[in-house]
Amino acid sequence: MASVKKSLVVFNGFVHDFAAGYWLAAIIAIVVLHDIHGKEPSVTAILNHVEHLFFWQSVTAGIVIMATGSGRTFTYVDNYYGADSERMRRRMLLAKHIVLFIGFGIGYWFAFGMTFH
C-alpha cells in the first residue's frame, strides 16, 4: 500500500508540472497567434478561434495546477532534509508560489486582453 501512495504522489507531481508547462505554452501560443493575426488580417477569424481554444485550455491547466498543488501540500510533510532545511525549503516554496501566483495573474491579464479584444 505504501508503494501505491508513493506512486500517486509522484504521479500528482508529474501532472502538476505538466499542467504548469502546458499553461505557459498556451499563454505563449496566444501571444504568438495574436501577433500573427495583427499582421495578417485575412486570418483573424480563424486565429481568434484558436486563441480562444488555447485560452480555455490554459484555464483548465490552471485549475489542474491548483488542484494538484493542493495535493502536494499534504504529501510533502516529512522533515526529510532535517528541521532547519525544511523550514528554509518551506519559506522558499512560499516565496516561489507568491511570485508564480502574481505571474499567473499577469499572464491571464495579458492573455485575456489578447484573446477577447
Side-chain angles (χ1 to χ4, degrees):
M1 189 62 155
S3 66
V4 171
K5 182 180 177 187
K6 287 180 182 180
S7 295
L8 290 174
V9 168
V10 170
F11 181 72
N12 182 70
F14 170 79
V15 172
H16 181 79
D17 294 343
F18 182 83
Y22 190 89
W23 178 87
L24 182 59
I27 297 299
I28 291 170
I30 290 168
V31 171
V32 170
L33 291 170
H34 187 75
D35 184 56
I36 291 170
H37 80 68
K39 295 175 182 172
E40 297 290 333
S42 62
V43 297
T44 297
I46 295 167
L47 293 184
N48 277 343
H49 179 70
V50 176
E51 283 180 8
H52 285 85
L53 289 173
F54 276 118
F55 181 82
W56 292 113
Q57 289 174 9
S58 76
V59 169
T60 301
I63 291 167
V64 170
I65 292 165
M66 298 286 188
T68 54
S70 297
R72 282 181 146 184
T73 301
F74 301 108
T75 56
Y76 295 103
V77 293
D78 297 331
N79 283 328
Y80 183 78
Y81 299 106
D84 291 337
S85 295
E86 282 299 310
R87 268 193 297 281
M88 176 60 75
R89 184 183 72 83
R90 288 185 179 136
R91 275 189 242 137
M92 291 174 73
L93 278 171
L94 179 63
K96 176 186 91 167
H97 283 91
I98 290 170
V99 169
L100 288 174
F101 194 75
I102 292 168
F104 267 76
I106 291 169
Y108 273 121
W109 183 59
F110 280 112
F112 186 86
M114 289 180 193
T115 303
F116 300 101
H117 51 89

